[in-house]
Amino acid sequence: MMKWEENVRKVVPYVAGEQPNRPNMIKLNTNECPYPPAPGVRKAAENMESAALRLYPDSNAQPLVDALAAYYDVKPEQVFVGVGSDDVLSMAFMTFFNSGKPILFPDVTYSFYDVWADLYRIPYRTCALDENWHIHPEDYKQPNGGVIFPNPNAPTGVEESLETVEEILQANPDVVVIVDEAYVDFGGKSALPLLKKYENLLVVQTFSKSRAMAGMRIGFCIGNEKLIHYLNDVKFSFNSYTMNLPSQVMGVEAVKDDTYFKATTAKIIATRERVKKELTSLGFTFPDSKANFIFASHKEVPAEELFRALREADIYVRHWNKPRISNSLRISVGTDEEMDRLIAFLKEYLEKRV
Ligand code: PMP
């Protein structure tokens, strides 16, 4: 190693799901929405004047902040938006997990958390989920520098009750507790009502899944005004103009169309529940998912084999070679037609194989 390399900030980056794009392929590997964004988003895209791109965007993304504040019935000062919830989470790690004490998160969870912790030199300790993939609230009653967990969890889809979330909040008044609600719109219960009781709670959500806008990169969080103020101080010390103008304009349109939002999420939930039954009849088991994906393993056929066979058939799902989860596939919920093709393929494959 050269001398200069010794002082490089070395990190092992997060590995995102692949983004292949071929006609007729079925992409169920990154939990995107299989339906288009709200019609107003399309209209806004069509009406965008390229001349408007000459100017810097609003550095606060104020129209989007205001729309979200109105929708969730909070003050604009309680809302922070970022370039996807990854950006929001990354800023939150940098802002709030600064004590030098280990932060806590589940052993099986979103695999970006340990990457940010390493990037920002934040010590961390993972707490093992129980055999049903649930959090043990007791684990979060040890001294720590902050807590983060997704609810519903990824990649399991398992939801914790608001009682569990509150038990963790009650045990941790001296640190910031972040609840990552990337998947909450598919039937989960949001922790937002707890904001009135806990000024150290930060709830993070995204437009990437339930609002069908992964390509626009819009995420946000809601919390106490003081938390949001500190978050903005760090954001403005890092990069002021993070969210581009089209994302701001189209994000507002997505928030405006609640009817479309509710109809789309209801459709995905209905498909998910049907697919659960079909997977069960094919010999799969899975924890009950409240997200837009199902974390399934087969009783007899290894996940890695199924992953490869599906891929050969141009059906992409996600598989990790990691402790505890290497025999499961995370299957995003697509359209009914896509899921029918998935089920038909699995049925035929398993009939031949088992
Ligand atoms: N949190 C969780 C739990 C996720 O699974 C994801 C998606 N990879 C994100 C946050 C980030 O999503 P985005 O940056 O697209 O908002």
Side-chain angles (χ1 to χ4, degrees):
M1 197 189 286
M2 301 295 284
K3 193 86 186 141
W4 62 265
E5 279 183 276
E6 284 169 18
N7 296 321
V8 169
R9 182 179 292 265
K10 292 178 200 76
V11 282
V12 181
Y14 170 74
V15 183
E18 3 173 23
Q19 291 296 95
N21 186 9
R22 278 194 299 281
N24 279 327
M25 68 168 293
I26 301 183
K27 191 171 178 306
L28 307 173
N29 69 331
T30 49
N31 301 337
E32 289 139 330
C33 179
Y35 303 107
V41 174
R42 194 193 63 228
K43 279 196 213 104
E46 284 166 3
N47 294 338
M48 281 257 6
E49 293 283 352
S50 62
L53 301 178
R54 188 175 61 81
L55 301 177
Y56 283 108
D58 183 326
S59 59
N60 276 321
Q62 202 61 44
L64 185 54
V65 164
D66 291 344
L68 286 166
Y71 185 82
Y72 290 101
D73 196 18
V74 294
K75 293 188 216 152
E77 294 76 23
Q78 291 182 264
V79 181
F80 174 88
V81 303
V83 183
S85 55
D86 280 342
D87 180 39
V88 176
L89 288 163
S90 159
M91 287 292 126
F93 268 61
M94 195 170 8
T95 310
F96 301 119
F97 296 157
N98 200 34
S99 69
K101 289 190 205 147
I103 61 164
L104 304 176
F105 50 83
D107 62 338
V108 175
T109 196
Y110 185 30
S111 48
F112 223 138
Y113 297 160
D114 55 351
V115 174
W116 286 313
D118 287 336
L119 173 65
Y120 297 132
R121 310 290 186 246
I122 300 164
Y124 64 90
R125 196 173 294 152
T126 58
C127 305
L129 297 174
D130 71 15
E131 66 282 6
N132 299 315
W133 306 109
H134 275 286
I135 280 176
H136 273 291
E138 293 304 318
D139 293 343
Y140 295 82
K141 297 180 183 174
Q142 55 179 311
N144 67 71
V147 173
I148 178 158
F149 56 90
N151 197 28
N153 196 9
T156 62
V158 169
E159 184 189 32
E160 297 301 339
S161 68
L162 281 188
E163 287 73 38
T164 298
V165 175
E166 189 157 11
E167 191 178 338
I168 292 170
L169 280 159
Q170 266 168 3
N172 289 285
D174 298 336
V175 297
V176 173
V177 175
I178 303 178
V179 184
D180 177 354
E181 295 188 339
Y183 301 104
V184 77
D185 296 325
F186 303 102
K189 278 207 186 60
S190 174
L192 283 171
L194 296 174
L195 286 175
K196 289 200 178 71
K197 278 166 85 177
Y198 300 94
E199 69 169 38
N200 58 328
L201 166 64
L202 193 73
V203 177
V204 181
Q205 295 192 9
T206 178
F207 283 42
S208 298
K209 325 287 178 183
S210 54
R211 295 186 186 276
M213 294 177 78
M216 291 313 287
R217 311 303 299 123
I218 306 174
F220 64 98
C221 64
I222 302 183
N224 178 277
E225 286 170 56
K226 251 198 289 185
L227 285 184
I228 300 304
H229 181 81
Y230 283 125
L231 204 45
N232 270 313
D233 280 351
V234 169
K235 174 237 158 103
F236 283 105
S237 310
F238 195 80
N239 181 358
S240 328
Y241 301 107
T242 47
M243 187 179 286
N244 64 54
L245 178 65
S247 294
Q248 296 189 26
V249 172
M250 291 178 217
V252 170
E253 292 304 319
V255 180
K256 271 197 211 155
D257 197 341
D258 199 37
T259 311
Y260 183 85
F261 170 65
K262 297 235 164 79
T264 307
T265 47
K267 234 176 348 180
I268 292 166
I269 292 168
T271 306
R272 177 188 71 203
E273 295 308 309
R274 174 176 75 84
V275 171
K276 281 179 187 172
K277 291 195 193 107
E278 310 228 30
L279 287 174
T280 303
S281 71
L282 291 179
F284 284 91
T285 55
F286 42 85
D288 191 34
S289 170
K290 280 279 164 64
N292 65 339
F293 53 83
I294 298 169
F295 193 56
S297 27
H298 195 267
K299 289 182 202 138
E300 286 154 67
V301 185
E304 183 150 9
E305 177 187 327
L306 289 172
F307 172 75
R308 288 184 199 286
L310 285 162
R311 219 180 128 104
E312 290 268 296
D314 244 1
I315 302 174
Y316 284 75
V317 298
R318 195 97 200 254
H319 173 255
W320 290 269
N321 253 327
K322 281 191 175 179
R324 291 191 80 181
I325 60 170
S326 59
N327 202 28
S328 299
L329 298 174
R330 193 196 64 189
I331 306 168
S332 307
V333 177
T335 61
D336 279 312
E337 299 70 45
E338 286 173 329
M339 299 320 271
D340 286 345
R341 273 176 62 193
L342 168 88
I343 296 293
F345 175 86
L346 287 172
K347 191 160 186 279
E348 201 188 321
Y349 185 85
L350 292 167
E351 270 166 9
K352 274 196 227 141
R353 163 72 167 70
V354 180

